[in-house]
Amino acid sequence: MALDAADKMEILELAARYNHAIDFGDGEAWAGTFTEDGVFNGGPQPVSGHVALAQFVAGFGQQMAGARHWTNNHIVDGDGDSATHSCYLNLVQTKDGGSSIITGIYNDKLTKVDGQWRFTERNVTPDARD
């Protein structure tokens, strides 16, 4: 059965909770947007599992204080308890007048666990820079 509007909205809200959690350094909330064995591919090496995901946010917050994740052009597809999601990313530094740090695309795999959507895999592909 195709995803209904409620499922799609929940996935969009999950993406927003992810952004807020990492931007405000809440590692537990950020890790909670993933399944227990979820994987984030967006740095020099994959980060997997709840503990490692939560710890990743502490490092991000120290290196990227004041950064804000802006996502748009969301596309959600799926069937039953599995879904895919993609959207554009613009990571903005709010300090010193603000500037775009990186742009790219998220490509995600999600599953519904105990009635809640979670990322099983979140992949970030940065746009090429000149």
Side-chain angles (χ1 to χ4, degrees):
M1 183 166 116
L3 298 181
D4 62 17
D7 283 318
K8 290 183 177 190
M9 181 57 78
E10 186 177 334
I11 290 169
L12 295 178
E13 288 180 5
L14 178 69
R17 285 194 307 274
Y18 167 102
N19 290 345
H20 282 248
I22 195 167
D23 290 345
F24 292 101
D26 189 342
E28 282 299 314
W30 190 74
T33 65
F34 290 84
T35 58
E36 282 297 318
D37 59 349
V39 178
F40 174 71
N41 293 301
Q45 59 191 22
V47 180
S48 62
H50 186 88
V51 172
L53 289 165
Q55 290 172 344
F56 175 82
V57 171
F60 180 87
Q62 291 170 356
Q63 294 176 352
M64 303 293 283
R68 295 292 181 264
H69 289 73
W70 293 90
T71 54
N72 59 22
N73 294 334
H74 297 264
I75 299 174
V76 178
D77 290 306
D79 194 358
D81 290 343
S82 296
T84 59
H85 168 251
S86 65
C87 62
Y88 297 159
L89 164 67
N90 185 15
L91 183 59
V92 176
Q93 177 54 261
T94 61
K95 293 182 176 182
D96 302 321
S99 62
S100 183
I101 299 168
I102 192 170
T103 61
I105 297 175
Y106 282 114
N107 286 295
D108 308 316
K109 296 178 184 176
L110 302 99
T111 192
K112 201 175 230 187
V113 178
D114 297 328
Q116 301 291 314
W117 286 101
R118 297 289 180 258
F119 297 112
T120 56
E121 188 176 322
R122 187 144 229 225
N123 301 290
V124 181
T125 304
D127 291 331
R129 300 243 176 193
D130 294 343

